[in-house]
Amino acid sequence: MWRAEWMWRAERQVALSSLHCTNKKIQKALISRIAMLHSFFIVNASGDVFLEKHWKSVIHRNICEYFFEAQKKYRRLDEIPPIIHTPHHYLIIVHRSNLFYIGVVNKECPPLFCIEIMHRIVDIFEDYFGDSKEATIKEHFVVVYELLDEMLDNGYPLATESNILKELIKPPSFLRALQNTVTGSSNVSSILPTGQLSNVPWRRAGVKYTNNEAYFDVIEEIDAIVDKSGSIVSAEIQGYIDSVMKLSGIPDLSLTFMNARIFDDVSFHPCVRIKRWESDRMLSFIPPDGHFRLMSYHIGSSNLVPLPIYIRHNIQFKTGASGRVDITVGLKQTMGRPVEDVKVDIPMPKSCINCSLTPTQGKFSYDTVSKVGTWEVGRIDPQKLPNIRGTVQLISGSDTPESNPTLGLHFKVEQVAMSGLRVNRLDILGEKYKPFKGVKYLTKAGLFQVRT
């Protein structure tokens, strides 16, 4: 077990090192033992391949049929395997913004390497265009292909930092598009980015702002499984700190936490000095300009992970007739903050024809195709707990379902980090100005399941 975890960490470290290396020769030496991305496809929810990119020979889009066959076997999108083996290739699958990103490699390789590259590609799309939806990508087809050409050289990652890419390829705008149409120019710069040969390759040179600002968003997602009696089977927190830096010059920042010992595992942006963290539990770094993810962390079930919400349920099915559903949602530990955007997914048996459920709060809808009912609760009032109850109509003569459905729960709690993580202070060195600082906290549900 420990050896598998060690190999996973070593594999990820090689992937991250190669992604952030800007020297082409060193980069290829780092990843010489790792297969490259041969081709890249983007598939929409309807199963149409609307974008493809090839770095070597062209692989026909029929290769995606192996993915479509696997997709039909699973009821939930998160159950689709991320790696699909075909007779001559491997498909690496990433699902984001209701789109499937499919990378093709022609020999066995560490899958985390390809997954890291593909997530970085989507992150860059969102940074450039605001989102990575199908309509947005189609609207900026030219810039998308320009980014793919610059980010990967012959299938190997080359430039993946947003600051570097924005000097190479200008982000799209109405005025720039108008200028390119009139002058016949393109978004691609002919000048080498200033940070490409710098000791701080993630930060462009000559940054100046009238108002210097530094913002941090501490976001935590709770992954939990709760059994039918309400006991916690497992509970973990996946957290990350997103930053927006608008600071002039080359500031050297130090960020400290009030309880930095709670982390079970951490992952940093390359700007963070690892030795300083290991010795003082302090984040010391020269930040990139603009938006970036400073840190990701994991808090496992070995720690006490508080759950802000609970569900009381009574779901019963009768043979070949009908069933009854009674669900109540309540609050547990919210640290005085309201729980908002609460939603409960109620999967029904395949023999279900219709649901007649009436909520005391919010609205209920049932999808007859996916057999999933959705109760949109909204904000929970602790004085009057929301409830939904009613009957379920099954196909006459059908067998009683072998098991009750597993409920999916969604929620968010603003200005609270359920782990108790708090930012203590931010200090700036190397510059004389005092920036405006801001920290926001958010807790939301990740994969939160309640067994009934």
Side-chain angles (χ1 to χ4, degrees), residues 162-416:
S162 178
N163 280 204
I164 299 297
L165 286 168
K166 285 181 179 179
E167 290 192 64
L168 282 168
I169 303 169
K170 302 300 181 183
S173 65
F174 175 76
L175 292 177
R176 188 168 288 117
L178 183 62
Q179 179 184 355
N180 293 344
T181 303
V182 174
T183 62
S185 58
S186 69
N187 287 348
V188 182
S189 174
S190 58
I191 303 174
L192 186 68
T194 54
Q196 192 79 4
L197 303 177
S198 167
N199 290 329
V200 189
W202 52 83
R203 184 174 180 85
R204 61 189 179 94
V207 181
K208 292 184 179 180
Y209 287 99
T210 304
N211 298 318
N212 294 283
E213 302 168 330
Y215 300 102
F216 299 93
D217 290 336
V218 180
I219 303 173
E220 296 188 344
E221 297 182 358
I222 299 179
D223 297 335
I225 298 177
V226 181
D227 65 16
K228 60 177 64 179
S229 65
S231 301
I232 299 175
V233 177
S234 69
E236 300 178 339
I237 290 178
Q238 310 293 338
Y240 45 92
I241 301 178
D242 286 341
S243 305
V244 178
M245 295 292 168
K246 298 180 180 180
L247 302 175
S248 303
I250 304 180
D252 196 328
L253 305 182
S254 297
L255 183 70
T256 57
F257 303 99
M258 296 184 68
N259 44 358
R261 301 288 176 180
I262 65 174
F263 304 121
D264 291 326
D265 193 12
V266 290
S267 175
F268 301 111
H269 188 277
C271 68
V272 176
R273 300 180 178 99
I274 301 296
K275 290 185 178 179
R276 190 71 183 275
W277 169 261
E278 291 176 344
S279 61
D280 302 331
R281 281 296 188 265
M282 173 188 293
L283 294 183
S284 176
F285 58 99
I286 298 175
D289 181 45
H291 181 275
F292 68 101
R293 178 155 295 176
L294 175 64
M295 172 185 180
S296 300
Y297 59 90
H298 170 256
I299 300 175
S301 54
S302 58
N303 294 277
L304 183 61
V305 178
L307 304 184
I309 199 169
Y310 70 89
I311 286 184
R312 290 200 304 263
H313 50 80
N314 183 15
I315 301 177
Q316 298 178 345
F317 294 104
K318 298 180 181 179
T319 305
S322 62
R324 289 197 60 83
V325 174
D326 188 344
I327 299 174
T328 301
V329 182
L331 301 179
K332 291 182 72 174
Q333 304 178 45
T334 64
M335 301 180 186
R337 297 288 180 175
V339 179
E340 302 174 313
D341 293 350
V342 178
K343 185 174 72 171
V344 182
D345 295 329
I346 312 173
M348 293 298 173
K350 295 182 179 180
S351 58
C352 177
I353 300 176
N354 193 21
C355 294
S356 298
L357 304 183
T358 303
T360 59
Q361 177 181 326
K363 61 181 180 179
F364 175 78
S365 60
Y366 178 67
D367 188 343
T368 57
V369 177
S370 62
K371 306 291 185 182
V372 176
T374 302
W375 177 24
E376 297 181 8
V377 183
R379 183 171 177 172
I380 295 182
D381 182 3
Q383 305 300 325
K384 186 179 180 181
L385 299 182
N387 173 269
I388 188 171
R389 64 179 61 185
T391 59
V392 178
Q393 184 180 358
L394 305 178
I395 298 175
S396 179
S398 61
D399 296 332
T400 304
E402 295 181 358
S403 61
N404 283 344
T406 298
L407 306 179
L409 193 57
H410 309 269
F411 59 83
K412 73 174 185 180
V413 187
E414 296 196 3
Q415 295 304 324
V416 168

